[in-house]
Amino acid sequence: MKYINEINRRKTFAIISHPDAGKTTLTEKFLLFGGAIQTAGAVKSNKIKKHATSDFMEIERQRGISVATSVMTFEYDGHLVNLLDTPGHKDFAEDTYRTLTAVDSVVLVIDSVNGVEAQTRRLMEVIAMRKTPVIVFINKMDRDGKNRFDLLEEIEHELKIQLHPMTIPINNGKDFKGVYDLHKKSLVLFTAGTKANDEDVLEIHDLDDAILDKKIGEQDANTLREDVELIDGVYGALNNKDYLTGKTAPVFFGSAVNNFGVKEMLDTFIRIAPTPRPRHTTTRDIKPEEDKFSGFIFKIHANLDPKHRDRIAFLRVCSGRFERNAYYHHVRMNKDLRFNNPYSFLARQKEVIEDAYPGDVVGLFDTGNFKIGDTMTEGEDFYFTGIPSFSPEIFKEVVNKDPMKTKQLEKGLLQLTDEGVAQLFTQFGGNKKIIGCVGELQFEVIQYRLLQEYGASVQMNNLPFFKACWLTGKDPKNWRTSSGINRPILHWIKTTTWFTWHKANGS
Ligand code: G4P
């Protein structure tokens, strides 16, 4: 229990949303409140919009920025908050899922105009599986969106989570007048384009008080009275345990771009969000307050700086204290490693750190030792579990366009697949290479990065496969019949292991 004060000070979370719901804007407001940035517009969106390739190239140009914002650490109200960034685009969902294994809670942003969107549904499935506590922020209340109760019902129904309104909006779009804070019993008035300040917050303990009619008009005041009565009747008081076990999600309404309703949510987040939680491993549960250090790698990023060709592995500290220059046990490689330049991301600056505590994310310079999911300990052998890996759904053959660059291509493919961007399959008895990904866009990313970072020019040829899986059986000749797959099967090898391929469409 040596580090209990440090542990209790930390809150590690991610903001997730369907692209364009307002994740970047909300992140920026959090950082402004935390004093980590001084001006709006400082956080660059790393989202990928309509013109995938050109947008990705632009993102690559800004890579320093988007990667520096992978983890943002700031102090707020005596707490140390680690905010982990997640890509919004569905083709990068794997990266997001893995990041979700490194957080203790999430804030989910929903666009009040569009309601629950595809990407939100998928993300929530992963969150529900892990029972991660969620706070919902219904954004863009300054736009003509859906009715407040319809939204609540849609979210509850679609995301299969009980909601608990913490604020209730007074209209939306051009008639949006603000929110009533159901717990503080105060009215927060909205004026477009300006930040809510103290004069805009009015304590209203008795909703029958005529001041309410004076401030928002008789009709809206009456509607608010009815809303509050309905909500009190249906939802009751927030049960913290239900929030912490992922059963109930507190909900806030606001407008991130107007910085409205954000502080109310941040204050509640700081008060109720979990401190670093215990983690499951292959042998036992690891509690953050244990004396000995342990952690796992959830993300790897190569070539952050093209001049230095470095690779950074992101390690989430799960227990004990991580110290610079101490030797730690790399469980998979059964090897002891030490790091003389571990860094953290305080105020978007990379900073070499002396130590780190549970909940923190440490950037480790990597010379090829790490793969996603690797566990580091002080000697004990176990692996943290629950780090997802996905079965590829699209397959393409990589054709080398420049034989002079064969070595660079091999290296690039191995390094990029270590990052978890894609899976690489090599033909058994040959050298044909196939890449398997979950999303189309990842191929563009790989092709672009192979050229930019390794000088290897490739062509990607479509293949008709839809699945790669393991088949077991005593006699390989009978695999096709014993597996029940009555289609041609190609045999491939991945490193030293057999892989088989199902050809799509039975052709
Ligand atoms: P994302 O990271 O989830 O993809 O979304 P992001 O924050 O980039 O927001 C998407 C768009 O929605 C942005 O507009 C942003 O300004 C706008 N937005 C965010 N919050 C609100 C809000 O509360 N009300 C309204 N009306 N708009 C909001 P954009 O035109 O795509 O980009 P920009 O040129 O404004 O940066």
Side-chain angles (χ1 to χ4, degrees), residues 15-29 44-50 85-86 88-89 109 111 113 137-143 190 254-260:
I15 303 182
I16 55 168
S17 75
H18 188 88
D20 270 351
K23 181 174 72 71
T24 311
T25 314
L26 189 65
T27 301
E28 183 171 281
K29 302 305 172 201
K44 290 281 173 289
S45 166
N46 63 0
K47 70 189 163 188
I48 291 159
K49 284 190 179 166
K50 297 109 211 159
D85 193 25
T86 53
H89 197 284
V109 186
D111 182 330
V113 182
F137 186 75
I138 301 182
N139 191 27
K140 305 196 185 179
M141 289 307 295
D142 60 319
R143 294 189 52 202
F190 173 75
S255 168
V257 80
N258 290 295
N259 206 356
F260 187 83

Side-chain angles (χ1 to χ4, degrees), residues 361-379:
V361 173
V362 182
L364 303 174
F365 284 102
D366 176 29
T367 47
N369 288 314
F370 287 121
K371 286 187 194 299
I372 291 190
D374 276 345
T375 296
M376 299 294 294
T377 68
E378 283 195 32

Side-chain angles (χ1 to χ4, degrees), residues 87-123:
H89 197 284
K90 72 171 173 38
D91 286 7
F92 295 92
E94 276 188 75
D95 196 14
T96 301
Y97 296 141
R98 286 192 285 254
T99 299
L100 291 178
T101 64
V103 300
D104 299 299
S105 69
V106 299
V107 166
L108 168 66
V109 186
I110 289 191
D111 182 330
S112 69
V113 182
N114 298 329
V116 176
E117 294 170 89
Q119 188 60 2
T120 317
R121 244 174 254 124
R122 289 209 210 174
L123 289 168

